[in-house]
Amino acid sequence: MGLKSLGEGKVERLKSSMVSRSRMKWWMIRATTTVLLWTCVVQLMTFGEMWGPRVLKGWPSCFMPSDSSLAVELSSLPVKVPNPPKRVYKNNGYLMVSCNGGLNQMRSAICDMVAIARYLNVTLIVPELDKTSFWADPSEFQDIFDVDHFITSLRDEVRILKELPPRLKKRVEHGMFYSMPPISWSDISYYLNQILPLIQKYKIVQLNKTDARLANNGLPLEIQRLRCRVNFSALKFTPQIEELGRRVIRLLRQNGPFLVLHLRYEMDMLAFSGCTQGCSNEEAEELTRMRYAYPWWKEKVINSDLKRKDGLCPLTPEETALTLRALDVDRNVQIYIAAGEIYGGERRMASLAAAFPNLVRKETLLGPSDLGFFQNHSSQMAALDYLVSIESDIFVPTYDGNMAKVVEGHRRYLGFKKTVLLDRKLLVDLIDQYNNGSLSWDEFSYSVKQTHADRMGNPTRRVVLPDRPKEEDYFYSNPEECLQLQDEPLSNT
């Protein structure tokens, strides 16, 4: 009996060992299969990114709810496209560019310089940005724009290098190059006949001022379209700026439609323009001292009242509040203030805040940790405002400066999005009449709405004024050669 029991025990242990090995084998098969399946999924996802919409595009994710904010954000990312083939041409030399002014002044200049480099068959060095203007922003090109995208996306048009080849770099260090400011508002023949021979002679030419150096009109269609391609496609902001811009837009969209108000009422603007409406005597004196402190601001003695009546001053916050109310802007709409520090602070913003309590800024939507990286970098902060401005439901600039013009043109390019182009000369006259009792509120509001009925960023022809290029419509505010225009004839207003 004892032997029988012992034998049975051995059999049971053997059976148990066989079952255990069988389970282990089955577990190993399952683990191996799972690893293989995951490998296939990863490979398919990789191929999906490479092949575009034909593989996995639009499939719901197994790991992300379709209505999650991250899913929405990822679905909005552009599909990767292959780089265009390099353009092969005989290189006539190297063009260096030093931009001047604020972000959008430099942005349009970069577009012009790419077009010029293309037509001169030269190599363009990534432009240097202005660090000596009022803002004293130390940002380099690559701190604001995606430099690799800029170079590769335009390689079928022009060769762009981050810096000169070592041998030529040494020549520049020893001053062996030619530097000059080109003549403003010049057409392409000026660059072909005057600048190209200099490049061929010296091999390296630096254009040390680039704002408004290429004409608005009278240029070949391919030049105009290349300017647009650079502006709307090649000049992407850095991923950090783009990401933060998307976050601000997402926060705004959570609460419905929003209006961007480009309230150009900062200290530098008022000092430069000489506009002191609503300022105290002490503030007016401070602005005058600032104007004299900058020698390149040529106009020194300015009559603020006359300049305002001619429509050459930015609207004050008080004037802006009246205008938005007259246009029947919803009191409860979110208004994003795209601007730097408003001169006069809360005192000057009080009437606007009372009329429209939902005023927000990037500083109120984001925490200090989000904006810490951008502090003391005004161009990067302006880039963030730019992204929010082009995505807004309505854009209202109170002055036609560089940002207002470039954003206006970008919104036209995006499908003629509503941009209220204020007639400041007429507005200040109507406001003065309303304030002195000559107009009732209803009369004032009706006149403001009638004046701006056709000033909403709708399709129009650019105004051409022969021999007066400074007074023409700016190319970047209405790049009509690049727009998908409607079938009906365009107006000339």
Side-chain angles (χ1 to χ4, degrees), residues 41-80:
V41 168
V42 171
Q43 291 294 325
L44 283 171
M45 290 173 70
T46 303
F47 293 152
E49 285 190 1
M50 292 171 57
W51 295 346
R54 290 176 292 177
V55 180
L56 294 179
K57 297 296 179 180
W59 285 23
S61 171
C62 303
F63 315 102
M64 184 190 310
S66 60
D67 59 349
S68 73
S69 59
L70 185 57
V72 172
E73 189 171 311
L74 288 176
S75 67
S76 66
L77 293 177
V79 176
K80 291 183 179 179

Side-chain angles (χ1 to χ4, degrees), residues 50-147:
M50 292 171 57
W51 295 346
R54 290 176 292 177
V55 180
L56 294 179
K57 297 296 179 180
W59 285 23
S61 171
C62 303
F63 315 102
M64 184 190 310
S66 60
D67 59 349
S68 73
S69 59
L70 185 57
V72 172
E73 189 171 311
L74 288 176
S75 67
S76 66
L77 293 177
V79 176
K80 291 183 179 179
V81 295
N83 294 326
K86 289 183 180 180
R87 175 171 169 258
V88 179
Y89 60 93
K90 179 183 177 183
N91 182 33
N92 286 318
Y94 295 82
L95 180 64
M96 298 170 58
V97 171
S98 294
C99 300
N100 58 301
L103 173 66
N104 293 288
Q105 189 172 330
M106 294 190 291
R107 182 188 184 104
S108 55
I110 292 166
C111 299
D112 289 351
M113 293 300 112
V114 170
I116 289 165
R118 165 66 175 80
Y119 270 77
L120 300 186
N121 284 333
V122 298
T123 296
L124 177 68
I125 306 304
V126 168
E128 296 179 355
L129 303 188
D130 192 345
K131 301 176 183 62
T132 61
S133 64
F134 167 81
W135 304 277
D137 187 337
S139 299
E140 302 288 355
F141 186 100
Q142 63 270 18
D143 298 323
I144 301 174
F145 300 108
D146 186 333
V147 65

Side-chain angles (χ1 to χ4, degrees), residues 263 265 275 277-278 308-309 313-326 348 351-352 356 398 422 424 427-429 431-432 435 441 444 448:
L263 189 61
Y265 206 75
C275 298
Q277 177 74 11
R308 175 178 176 269
K309 289 184 181 297
C313 287
L315 292 186
T316 67
E318 297 87 355
E319 293 167 342
T320 302
L322 283 173
T323 300
L324 294 180
R325 286 179 55 208
R348 296 307 302 271
S351 60
L352 186 60
F356 299 94
T398 61
L422 299 176
R424 294 189 306 279
L427 272 175
V428 297
D429 181 55
I431 288 169
D432 288 345
N435 285 335
W441 174 258
F444 171 69
V448 171

Side-chain angles (χ1 to χ4, degrees), residues 401-419:
N402 288 295
M403 176 166 170
K405 291 175 180 176
V406 178
V407 169
E408 176 192 343
H410 203 148
R411 289 173 65 84
R412 288 178 184 272
Y413 181 80
L414 293 174
F416 301 99
K417 301 176 76 171
K418 184 173 287 187
T419 303

